[in-house]
Amino acid sequence: MIDNPRAEGAYRPGYEVAAEQVLELITKLRLRPGDRMPTENELAQQLGTSRTVVREAVKILSALGRVRAQKGRGLYVADDEGMLGTGRWASFFLPTDLDHIYMLFEFRRAQEMETSRLAARRATPAELGDIEKSAGVCRYGFDNGREDLFNEGDDAFHTAIATASHNMFLQIAVREARRLQAQSNLIGLRGSVGGHAAKAVEEHEAIYQAIRVGDPEAAAQAAATHIDNTLDDYRREIQQRIFSPTD
């Protein structure tokens, strides 16, 4: 099975190749939405092409919502609003609607299974290091009762796996789904250093190990188990809130 098929010998215009290289450079430099990019001259030098080709590539990326050109100020990485309209999902998601929360978990389950499966096939050594490091931050937060570090590590862990999938659409979808789930904090439905956190730390380790040894199906199943257990924890908390006696 070929993960990234490309037609051998197929002609591709220089500006199309350059546009792809600019996106790869953004990832390599770890630029975030709103960050300033190298100038057209600098891009031309780094890519080994002409400024004219770079300018055409920038036009394409601007139309796709990936790059924003500001007259007199330079080039910037665009925000996520232009990609798949993901920023608009929040307009209909109701963080206090349990049906919406459960549907979001179903969506996350499919995402996390596929990103883990692809990461097991595609992760680079550096990406494996990022996944392991973020799992370590999460574990440290749990061991030391630091909910802020636990949550930081948890977010970094899932983001790192999505990055290692080498699928930009999954990366965006995972980031947006996690952003929406964070909104459920409005009704206090959140993970904590207690509760499911102890299991989550071990589940992260299982996912990482499956990705590290290159076992796609084991990684996908470990991810599914993790999301299922997280959902069960949410349900238990909801039941406690509903049936616990009030003063």
Side-chain angles (χ1 to χ4, degrees):
M1 177 179 178
I2 299 176
D3 286 326
N4 292 302
R6 289 181 180 175
E8 295 292 337
Y11 170 74
R12 301 178 67 198
Y15 59 81
E16 182 180 307
V17 175
E20 185 176 281
Q21 291 174 332
V22 169
L23 292 178
E24 292 173 351
L25 183 62
I26 289 173
T27 300
K28 180 180 178 181
L29 296 177
R30 296 181 180 273
L31 297 179
R32 307 288 296 173
D35 286 350
R36 187 167 185 170
M37 296 171 51
T39 65
E40 288 185 354
N41 281 335
E42 291 169 339
L43 287 173
Q45 292 175 0
Q46 292 188 50
L47 301 182
T49 189
S50 69
R51 184 176 177 180
T52 300
V53 170
V54 169
R55 187 178 295 116
E56 291 302 310
V58 168
K59 288 180 180 178
I60 293 174
L61 295 175
S62 295
L64 291 174
R66 304 303 304 278
V67 171
R68 184 174 72 255
Q70 295 188 7
K71 190 173 183 179
R73 297 187 60 191
L75 302 175
Y76 294 81
V77 180
D79 57 34
D80 296 334
E81 296 285 339
M83 285 301 296
L84 303 177
T86 52
R88 299 185 182 90
W89 292 359
S91 64
F92 64 81
F93 175 71
L94 299 176
T96 56
D97 187 318
L98 293 181
D99 286 338
H100 282 203
I101 293 173
Y102 292 151
M103 285 189 287
L104 185 59
F105 265 103
E106 289 180 347
F107 185 47
R108 280 201 60 211
R109 190 181 196 274
Q111 290 175 339
E112 300 290 352
M113 288 185 69
E114 190 59 22
T115 55
S116 297
R117 184 180 286 117
L118 292 177
R121 294 174 179 148
R122 301 174 177 175
T124 66
E127 290 165 346
L128 283 173
D130 288 341
I131 296 170
E132 182 181 26
K133 180 180 178 181
S134 57
V137 171
C138 198
R139 180 181 290 274
Y140 180 87
F142 170 71
D143 289 341
N144 293 274
R146 290 282 304 278
E147 186 172 351
D148 58 332
L149 288 180
F150 176 86
N151 290 333
E152 177 184 324
D154 182 58
D155 191 57
F157 178 78
H158 291 281
T159 299
I161 292 175
T163 298
S165 76
H166 291 232
N167 185 308
M168 66 178 180
F169 298 104
L170 280 171
Q171 291 167 24
I172 293 166
V174 166
R175 186 164 62 246
E176 180 66 12
R178 289 187 63 80
R179 183 182 302 149
L180 293 180
Q181 185 168 320
Q183 294 179 15
S184 65
N185 289 0
L186 291 175
I187 54 174
L189 297 177
R190 59 187 176 198
S192 64
V193 176
H196 175 239
K199 286 185 179 179
V201 168
E202 300 307 320
E203 289 160 6
H204 284 175
E205 181 65 19
I207 296 169
Y208 164 68
Q209 290 297 337
I211 292 173
R212 185 181 66 80
V213 300
D215 190 332
E217 294 313 312
Q221 186 54 54
T225 297
H226 177 50
I227 298 300
D228 288 345
N229 287 341
T230 304
L231 175 56
D232 286 343
D233 193 50
Y234 267 56
R235 285 185 171 134
R236 281 193 296 272
E237 184 171 347
I238 291 168
Q239 289 175 348
Q240 288 174 1
R241 289 173 180 272
I242 292 174
F243 296 110
S244 61
T246 57
D247 296 330

